[in-house]
Amino acid sequence: MVELFRNILNIISVAAIPVMFFLFLGWGFVRKVKVYEVFVEGAKDGFHVAVKIIPFLVAMLLAIGIFRASGAMDVLIAILSPVSNLIGMPAETVPLALLRPLSGSGSLGLMTELMKVHGPDSFIGVLASTMYGSSETTFYVLAVYFGAVGVKNARHALPAGIIADIFGMLGALFICRVFFGI
Amino acid sequence: MLNQVWISLIVIGLLVAVGKDINDEARNTYRNGVPMTATLHVEEMPTAFRETWQGELIIPRETFDQFYGVQSAPSEFHQPITLTTNSSGKTSLILAVNDSTPAFWKEMATNSGDNKKLLGSVVSLHFSEDKSTAQISFVLAKLSYVKLRAVTRAALDYADSAVTISLGLIGVMALWLGVMKVAEEAGLLKVLTKLLTPITSRLFPDVPPDHPAIGAMIMNIAANMLGLNNAATPLGLKAMEELNKLNPKIGTATNAMCTFLVINTAGLTLVPATAIAIRAAEGSSDPGIIIGTSIFGAGCATIAGLVSVKLLERLPRYKKDLLPEPSSSGANNG
């Protein structure tokens, strides 16, 4: 049953983009849209959007880069270790939980390292990959999505995003302890 | 909030860097100027004509650990070394970093800005009778203000990678914007939008149910669900642009924008493709085992995010951001 579900998901994720192209462009052609002209018309904004993001992403990555390179993460982990011990989160996975919202490539590296050291099927390996899959890189998404439309005042998006991250990490820990716990 | 978090990341980072560097200076963590003694094993005896020769440093781990005050595995290691004598008789050395190099030296090499080698100079060199080994005493190049240097390097590198990432988006961005434009003209997005109106009208009450923004958001969420990251970002940006058309105060996020962003940052997906791929690469017996747990985790994140975004938008401090600027009218009394 799980296997079937997984296979279906696999097929969908492989076929989704070709099917979308076929359906959207084909439907457009049937509905007598000048497909080529309209496509080019839409696509010409691609450059502007990408360029618009640059200042936002530079600002965001600058702060994250300084924070990571300084070793401030180690200090934060030390401060949080009593809390993580209390909720039964293995100390090795605390850095991953903290880095996940900040840096996509950084947390990918940490997850890979944890799996290399502890094995992908160990509790820490399963927890690390679940944590990675349980959230997105909040700060990056915020910079890119709001940057594209020039939003500087993010209002409550950041606190809500961080609350979501915290619950994502706690949810990952909870479900892994229930199913794979020691 | 964003301003505070941003400045905290930078200020905390800088303060910690300064603190660590002062600590390193006080404790001389990298043993600047302190000679280390080791056994040198040379294949060929240096002669007056030979200016560069190679050999191996043999250092027991305990000696190394004691010297630097660190912890590493208790066995001896062999470190390749290249020695060069210049015309004035001084001998300098290069330690090439390889797999047998202790972690602490690797870290020092990284901190010195050159990942592949450590530089130093020889203090004294005494050959044994059979000329195959020598007692060497050497100091490594001075290493100081490591963290401040690292912070500077990171700032410049990350600024650079921000541009690389943004420009890397141009292609997929153009592709999906083109496809979406065709879908829009063909009226396909309207069909999709109608189907999901019961959900979207609750999540985004400020957005008219047949607005193109709804169609773009549905497409983005669908792409995220299927783990199609290349498609999800361009579709999400398209949705943001559509939402921005409804924005009375450009530059400030509307409630709908915040809600949509939180859905994206929670990252609910049916196929956590990256994590599965890495698990498979690391030799997991069941790489896909995390699909269920990830859906649960990201589901928690999504629900918590939606609840908090809806609660937070009622707070006066976030509500007042939506009011027009006081300079434009006198409507800012309440």
Side-chain angles (χ1 to χ4, degrees), chain B residues 192-194 196-197 200 213-223 260:
Chain B
L192 259 178
T193 311
K194 274 227 177 74
L196 290 166
T197 301
T200 54
I214 300 279
M217 287 193 285
I218 292 172
M219 294 292 300
N220 160 268
I221 293 167
F260 178 59

Side-chain angles (χ1 to χ4, degrees), chain A residues 9 12 24 27 31 38-39 43 47 50 54 59 61 70 74 116 120-121 129-130 136 145 152-153 155-156 164 167, chain B residues 6 13 158 166 170 174 178 181 186 188 219-220 226 251 253 255 264-265 270 279 282 284-285 293 301 309 313 318:
Chain A
L9 284 182
I12 291 176
F24 286 20
W27 185 299
R31 297 290 298 269
V38 172
F39 183 96
F47 183 76
I54 292 176
L61 292 191
S70 70
D74 304 335
K116 269 195 174 41
D121 296 323
S129 34
T130 302
E136 259 299 329
Y145 277 41
K152 283 159 269 177
N153 184 352
R155 290 177 66 228
H156 54 297
F167 276 85
Chain B
W6 191 73
Y158 274 64
S166 304
I170 295 175
K181 186 89 178 174
L188 196 64
M219 294 292 300
N220 160 268
L226 298 175
N255 287 344
N264 264 281
T265 64
L270 298 175
R279 289 177 58 75
E282 292 301 324
S284 166
S285 59
T293 53
V309 89
E313 74 184 27
Y318 292 123

Side-chain angles (χ1 to χ4, degrees), chain A residues 98-172:
Chain A
L98 293 176
L99 197 59
R100 185 72 194 95
L102 291 176
S103 162
S105 58
S107 51
L108 182 65
L110 269 185
M111 172 186 71
T112 313
E113 199 181 295
L114 284 175
M115 275 194 254
K116 269 195 174 41
V117 175
H118 300 277
D121 296 323
S122 66
F123 179 68
I124 288 179
V126 173
L127 178 59
S129 34
T130 302
M131 280 167 129
Y132 186 85
S134 293
S135 183
E136 259 299 329
T137 318
T138 300
F139 284 73
Y140 168 82
V141 172
L142 188 136
V144 169
Y145 277 41
F146 279 176
V149 290
V151 163
K152 283 159 269 177
N153 184 352
R155 290 177 66 228
H156 54 297
L158 187 61
I162 291 174
I163 292 172
D165 288 330
I166 294 172
F167 276 85
M169 292 301 129
L170 292 179

Side-chain angles (χ1 to χ4, degrees), chain B residues 140-195:
Chain B
L140 292 176
K142 194 166 183 277
L143 201 56
S144 53
Y145 309 117
V146 163
K147 287 296 177 191
L148 280 178
R149 279 178 223 272
V151 160
T152 312
R153 217 175 324 129
L156 300 175
D157 285 353
Y158 274 64
D160 218 36
S161 68
V163 176
T164 318
I165 292 171
S166 304
L167 294 186
L169 277 173
I170 295 175
V172 272
M173 208 52 230
L175 168 66
W176 283 103
L177 289 178
V179 172
M180 286 296 285
K181 186 89 178 174
V182 175
E184 208 181 306
E185 297 263 311
L188 196 64
L189 287 185
K190 285 231 169 72
V191 179
L192 259 178
T193 311
K194 274 227 177 74
L195 285 175

